[in-house]
Amino acid sequence: MADKAFQKLYQNPDDCISYSQSLLISDQNPEHRVVLQNIISQAYAMKGDYIQSVNIYSQKEDSKEKENLSYFLQAAGDYNLADQYQNLDLYSQSQRIISGLLADNKLLKGDIPRMNVITAKLYQLQALNFGINRNYNDALENLSKSDQYLGFNNQENRILEMENKIFRASFFMRQNKPEEAKYLLERTLALAEKSTDYSFIQALAYENLSRYYFFKEDYHTAVDILEKGLSKIENLPYNSLKAKIYESLSKNYFALHHDEKYHQYNKLYTELRTRLDSSTKEGIRYIVKLVETNQNNNLEFQKQKQLKKISLISGGFLIMIMGLLIYFLILNNSLKDLKKQSDFFEKQKNMEQIINKDVSKEESAIDKTTEKDPNKISKEKEDEILQKLEEWEKQQRYLDKSMTLSALSSQMGVNTKYLSEVINSSKGKNFNAYINELRINHIARLLRTDPVYLNYKVSYLAEYSGFSSHSAFTTVFKSVTGMSPNAYIQEITKSRIS
């Protein structure tokens, strides 16, 4: 019955919820109940209803203290918490739970089918986390490990195997292996279409296959494939997947200069994305509150069990104090931010002129700004470093998330101390400030010149421009431009409309 409930998860989440809840009414076995509740929680997440998803997760923790639960129930509960974090884009929290579970040899033995499914799902989540961080080799390795635990022949195992194939194809595409990705997706679609009920898997595979044709600039074929995928779930509440398809359709129609279709799907995407983002924010608030009030039931908050009430009260006061501080800071810094915004937009307007200046003028400018004490570094060496820096900037290698001062000095074959000294003297800032400003200027220029980027989530823009986190990107963006990424996007959008 649980296998049938999992199968319904990929056919229609509403049917899955109704069916699983009917089983819960009559089944009092705690292990059966936790499996069914995990499935219901996943169904709500597929709908984009993250508040209900977290709510269902929380219900199974009310009956017993976690230390009295069976090992299976503990592992299943911890997996579901990691999955909740993943759905809410809280990847580092999810990663900590997964790493802790996969370090347990008891879980990895592979001799109990029900434990193997949890292990397979954990490796799948681990792979997705690596993929988000662009660590595609480790992502593919974890998908292979996931497959090793899916030997049991039932619907759940077959569905998870197909999901792994789709995720593997997605990573191949990002590794610039489009033909391998296409072959794998076409095979997966052939398997999924043997059973017409796997609507979600089919739509997910079509959405990923469209990326191959977008990459090949065959936008007409990409649109046809996306329309097929959309037809599979158009009348089903798979809202998170629908948002991806709407976004891909708007991008392809934009490339085809089909304004009517572009605006149609861009509007659908924007409206649905807004609803999903709102649900995500509420889900995050809910799960944070849940974790704080049920610390003894979570891996990450066991040490704070005795401080729960104090932390809640203190948190309330801190929020109030922080709110007042932020309010006064905004008032005090408003003029400063406005000036910074004005300066930044002026720099953006002049960017093309700066890029097109004569080389001779650039060299003379360098000469004027790089006169230094000859005891520290020779003029010839400084010019050589500046030239290498210029080439490095043109290649946009500053977008590499792993780029550091030592890595750059190694690539350029330059002494780290000399490189740091040249950057400080010629750029007027240290290496971190220098590379972060390059990244912000790059993404700001793309937002201003390519309207496709205006539709991307800020988290994607942060990842694309080389930042390790959404928050770091937002902080640096505001320090450079004087406004948040969302405010900047709104300004660019307004200027385009006007």
Side-chain angles (χ1 to χ4, degrees):
M1 288 182 177
D3 191 44
K4 187 176 179 181
F6 189 84
Q7 189 176 359
K8 286 181 177 291
L9 188 63
Y10 291 81
Q11 297 169 353
N12 185 329
D14 285 334
D15 289 348
C16 172
I17 291 167
S18 299
Y19 178 76
S20 302
Q21 285 178 335
S22 68
L23 295 179
L24 274 175
I25 293 171
S26 57
D27 196 333
Q28 297 305 312
N29 182 299
E31 292 193 355
H32 296 174
R33 291 180 66 82
V34 77
V35 169
L36 290 169
Q37 285 171 321
N38 281 359
I39 291 172
I40 295 171
S41 181
Q42 284 180 275
Y44 278 115
M46 283 179 161
K47 291 178 64 174
D49 189 346
Y50 301 118
I51 300 170
Q52 271 295 85
S53 180
V54 175
N55 183 45
I56 294 296
Y57 158 76
S58 69
Q59 291 174 10
K60 66 178 178 298
E61 300 289 345
D62 294 338
S63 58
K64 296 181 180 180
E65 290 291 327
K66 186 165 188 175
E67 51 266 29
N68 295 328
L69 299 176
S70 72
Y71 182 72
F72 171 78
L73 290 180
Q74 291 182 52
D78 290 339
Y79 159 74
N80 191 242
L81 179 57
D83 193 38
Q84 294 293 336
Y85 280 138
Q86 190 88 0
N87 291 331
L88 297 170
D89 299 337
L90 301 173
Y91 303 114
S92 59
Q93 291 90 332
S94 177
Q95 180 67 34
R96 283 199 295 272
I97 296 174
I98 296 166
S99 298
L101 287 167
L102 291 179
D104 189 347
N105 289 327
K106 186 177 179 180
L107 184 71
L108 304 179
K109 284 183 178 179
D111 52 358
I112 304 174
R114 62 183 179 178
M115 295 300 296
N116 287 350
V117 172
I118 292 176
T119 309
K121 289 179 178 179
L122 285 167
Y123 275 121
Q124 186 187 81
L125 275 185
Q126 181 92 306
L128 295 176
N129 271 322
F130 279 124
I132 287 161
N133 291 315
R134 299 183 182 182
N135 193 344
Y136 302 124
N137 289 330
D138 284 344
L140 291 167
E141 182 182 340
N142 274 271
L143 286 178
S144 297
K145 290 179 180 178
S146 177
D147 287 339
Q148 291 172 12
Y149 287 89
L150 294 173
F152 194 64
N153 189 24
N154 64 4
Q155 292 296 331
E156 183 173 17
N157 279 245
R158 284 193 286 272
I159 289 169
L160 289 171
E161 284 177 346
M162 285 190 284
E163 270 193 329
N164 283 351
K165 285 183 172 66
I166 294 171
F167 295 143
R168 185 174 284 109
S170 174
F171 298 143
F172 281 155
M173 197 80 73
R174 295 172 193 176
Q175 286 185 318
N176 201 23
K177 300 176 182 177
E179 300 305 326
E180 292 179 46
K182 177 175 179 280
Y183 173 74
L184 192 54
L185 287 168
E186 288 176 341
R187 282 183 56 199
T188 307
L189 273 168
L191 287 172
E193 288 177 345
K194 287 182 180 178
S195 172
T196 56
D197 293 332
Y198 291 149
S199 304
F200 180 86
I201 291 291
Q202 292 168 9
L204 182 64
Y206 277 124
E207 196 276 330
N208 278 271
L209 183 58
S210 75
R211 296 167 188 256
Y212 168 83
Y213 290 100
F214 184 84
F215 176 78
K216 294 291 185 180
E217 299 184 4
D218 184 355
Y219 306 119
H220 287 288
T221 304
V223 164
D224 290 341
I225 288 172
L226 285 165
E227 294 285 5
K228 281 183 186 178
L230 183 59
S231 70
K232 301 292 181 181
I233 61 169
E234 195 159 16
N235 298 318
L236 299 171
Y238 291 114
N239 292 324
S240 296
L241 181 53
K242 276 185 187 176
K244 288 183 180 179
I245 294 176
Y246 290 152
E247 182 183 17
S248 295
L249 280 166
S250 67
K251 286 168 61 179
N252 279 280
Y253 277 121
F254 181 83
L256 290 168
H257 306 290
H258 195 316
D259 291 344
E260 183 181 351
K261 286 287 188 181
Y262 163 72
H263 288 299
Q264 174 191 341
Y265 283 111
N266 188 52
K267 181 181 178 184
L268 288 170
Y269 165 71
T270 302
E271 290 174 350
L272 186 52
R273 185 75 263 163
T274 300
R275 281 163 46 201
L276 290 171
D277 287 346
S278 175
S279 180
T280 299
K281 289 176 184 175
E282 291 301 317
I284 290 172
R285 291 193 191 101
Y286 194 176
I287 201 168
V288 168
K289 182 179 179 182
L290 177 68
V291 170
E292 287 177 349
T293 55
N294 296 281
Q295 293 160 1
N296 57 315
N297 294 328
N298 293 301
L299 289 175
E300 299 159 348
F301 294 91
Q302 289 174 356
K303 293 180 180 179
Q304 302 176 22
K305 186 187 287 187
Q306 301 303 321
L307 300 173
K308 181 174 64 177
K309 291 183 180 179
I310 296 173
S311 66
L312 286 172
I313 295 169
S314 301
F317 282 115
L318 282 172
I319 290 170
M320 290 173 62
I321 293 168
M322 287 298 294
L324 289 170
L325 285 172
I326 291 168
Y327 174 74
F328 285 114
L329 282 171
I330 290 171
L331 288 177
N332 290 332
N333 293 327
S334 59
L335 290 175
K336 187 186 296 183
D337 283 346
L338 284 171
K339 186 178 185 303
K340 190 178 287 185
Q341 292 168 22
S342 175
D343 292 343
F344 182 79
F345 275 107
E346 189 64 31
K347 286 180 183 177
Q348 289 286 302
K349 289 178 183 177
N350 296 328
M351 188 68 71
E352 299 299 325
Q353 297 175 6
I354 294 171
I355 291 172
N356 293 325
K357 280 184 178 179
D358 293 334
V359 173
S360 60
K361 290 183 180 180
E362 292 178 27
E363 290 176 349
S364 64
I366 291 170
D367 289 342
K368 290 177 183 179
T369 56
T370 56
E371 292 180 1
K372 296 172 49 59
D373 183 352
N375 293 325
K376 293 185 177 180
I377 180 173
S378 69
K379 181 68 171 60
E380 292 75 16
K381 188 65 176 176
E382 187 170 6
D383 288 345
E384 178 190 342
I385 293 172
L386 284 169
Q387 187 175 359
K388 288 182 178 180
L389 274 176
E390 183 180 356
E391 284 299 315
W392 177 76
E393 289 182 18
K394 287 179 181 178
Q395 294 169 8
Q396 298 178 0
R397 293 168 68 184
Y398 49 79
L399 297 177
D400 184 352
K401 188 183 293 187
S402 61
M403 183 60 64
T404 61
L405 178 64
S406 59
L408 179 57
S409 67
S410 177
Q411 290 175 15
M412 293 172 61
V414 173
N415 181 286
T416 304
K417 181 181 177 182
Y418 284 177
L419 177 59
S420 176
E421 183 179 338
V422 170
I423 289 172
N424 275 274
S425 62
S426 64
K427 308 297 179 181
K429 51 183 71 69
N430 63 28
F431 175 79
N432 285 335
Y434 164 59
I435 192 171
N436 283 339
E437 185 168 334
L438 286 173
R439 290 167 173 171
I440 295 302
N441 283 330
H442 178 83
I443 203 68
R445 187 164 62 253
L446 286 177
L447 287 166
R448 186 171 59 85
T449 58
D450 189 346
V452 171
Y453 285 83
L454 296 172
N455 297 317
Y456 292 153
K457 291 174 64 175
V458 173
S459 57
Y460 172 80
L461 298 177
E463 179 185 352
Y464 176 85
S465 52
F467 285 88
S468 59
S469 70
H470 179 292
S471 59
F473 172 71
T474 302
T475 301
V476 177
F477 194 101
K478 184 163 186 185
S479 73
V480 173
T481 68
M483 65 189 81
S484 68
N486 284 327
Y488 182 82
I489 290 169
Q490 288 173 4
E491 288 293 345
I492 295 298
T493 304
K494 286 179 187 175
S495 65
R496 285 185 169 276
I497 292 172
S498 60

